[in-house]
Amino acid sequence: MTEETGDAENRLARIERLLASRERDLVPAWQRATRGEPRWAVTAAILVAVALQLMLPHRLALQPFWALPVLELVLLAGLIAANPRRVEPRTRRLRWLGLSLICVISLANGLAAIRLVADLVSGTAGADAVPLLLTGGGIWLTNVIVFALWYWEWDRGGPMARALGRQQHADFLFVQMQSPETAPPDWEPAFLDYLYLSFTNSTAFSPTDVMPLSRWAKMLMMLQSSVSLVTVVLVVARAVNILK
């Protein structure tokens, strides 16, 4: 009786392995439960954003100028302590901690952009083109990182929900989703894919090879293009006027 039970359990285990293998063959990685993506890319991008904020003229930042960057580093440290290597679903509080971090970065960069535009309109941005271009470039690049974080955090419920494979309807349609034969079987969107999406949207002011599907994704991309266009046009126009 024991031997028969053992044989049945072994057969059941083999069947389960076959079914799991069959599921991996039929269902793409971005639609099934997988391991969380490595944290290093998003951590590096956030550190770059913090460094860019600290290098901006202090008049553009909320005073004291170091307050928001320090808060960002504290929130980032909390996320790394909870999930040091991968962005894995553990507690709901981690998602709110991540959203709070992105909100603080957005607030700091949005305030800097508003104050820079006000200086440009009033003519008090300075008479040197090089610092102006560097300041505008820093705000523009931080804006790229900010929107990449928002895309990454909201697409199909965020990185933790994507790791669980909960939502099957994507907010952004990547080429690999349309043509799975062009990518490895375990491909799924990671932060660098959303960073590329944000960069191309800020330079082309329109979608390139990644299409927004949901309404919030379209509105967010439209907002990013508008902010990028205003920043680039005003900064470049003022710099050209100074050089003349």
Side-chain angles (χ1 to χ4, degrees):
M1 186 70 179
T2 304
E3 292 181 358
E4 293 179 357
T5 303
D7 291 340
E9 291 178 350
N10 290 334
R11 287 196 296 271
L12 181 60
R14 287 197 297 271
I15 292 173
E16 290 177 348
R17 288 196 295 270
L18 288 173
L19 290 175
S21 176
R22 184 63 175 173
E23 180 184 5
R24 286 194 296 270
D25 293 337
L26 295 178
V27 181
W30 64 272
Q31 286 185 319
R32 66 174 186 263
T34 58
R35 295 188 65 188
E37 66 178 276
R39 181 173 287 282
W40 68 267
V42 65
T43 300
I46 292 173
L47 291 176
V48 169
V50 173
L52 289 172
Q53 290 175 6
L54 290 172
M55 290 188 293
L56 290 176
H58 296 173
R59 72 178 189 280
L60 301 179
L62 182 69
Q63 300 304 314
F65 74 94
W66 47 263
L68 291 182
V70 168
L71 177 58
E72 294 163 9
L73 291 176
V74 170
L75 293 173
L76 178 61
L79 289 172
I80 294 176
N83 276 337
R85 295 185 178 181
R86 291 182 176 271
V87 184
E88 296 177 330
R90 292 189 177 178
T91 66
R92 190 172 183 84
R93 293 179 181 177
L94 287 179
R95 173 164 170 77
W96 287 109
L97 186 62
L99 289 174
S100 299
L101 174 58
I102 301 175
C103 286
V104 175
I105 299 175
S106 302
L107 173 63
N109 197 61
L111 179 63
I114 292 172
R115 289 184 173 178
L116 177 61
V117 170
D119 289 348
L120 291 170
V121 173
S122 62
T124 60
D128 194 343
V130 175
L132 178 60
L133 289 173
L134 291 176
T135 299
I139 292 176
W140 181 88
L141 183 55
T142 306
N143 189 60
V144 171
I145 296 174
V146 165
F147 277 92
L149 290 169
W150 282 119
Y151 298 148
W152 175 75
E153 190 60 61
W154 283 110
D155 184 26
R156 288 190 295 128
M160 298 182 186
R162 289 195 297 273
L164 295 174
R166 288 176 175 174
Q167 297 189 22
Q168 300 299 308
H169 298 290
D171 297 290
F172 293 100
L173 182 64
F174 292 87
V175 174
Q176 293 88 338
M177 296 178 179
Q178 294 178 293
S179 304
E181 69 278 1
T182 63
D186 60 346
W187 181 90
E188 55 184 327
F191 176 74
L192 292 180
D193 297 292
Y194 297 99
L195 182 63
Y196 168 79
L197 163 64
S198 181
F199 181 82
T200 55
N201 191 48
S202 286
T203 52
F205 308 118
S206 64
T208 53
D209 60 340
V210 182
M211 295 294 109
L213 300 180
S214 62
R215 292 187 179 94
W216 74 258
K218 295 176 182 179
M219 294 299 101
L220 200 57
M221 289 186 69
M222 184 173 67
L223 176 61
Q224 182 189 10
S225 296
S226 301
V227 173
S228 180
L229 181 62
V230 170
T231 304
V232 170
V233 168
L234 289 179
V235 170
V236 172
R238 178 58 180 167
V240 170
N241 187 50
I242 292 174
L243 292 174
K244 287 183 178 180

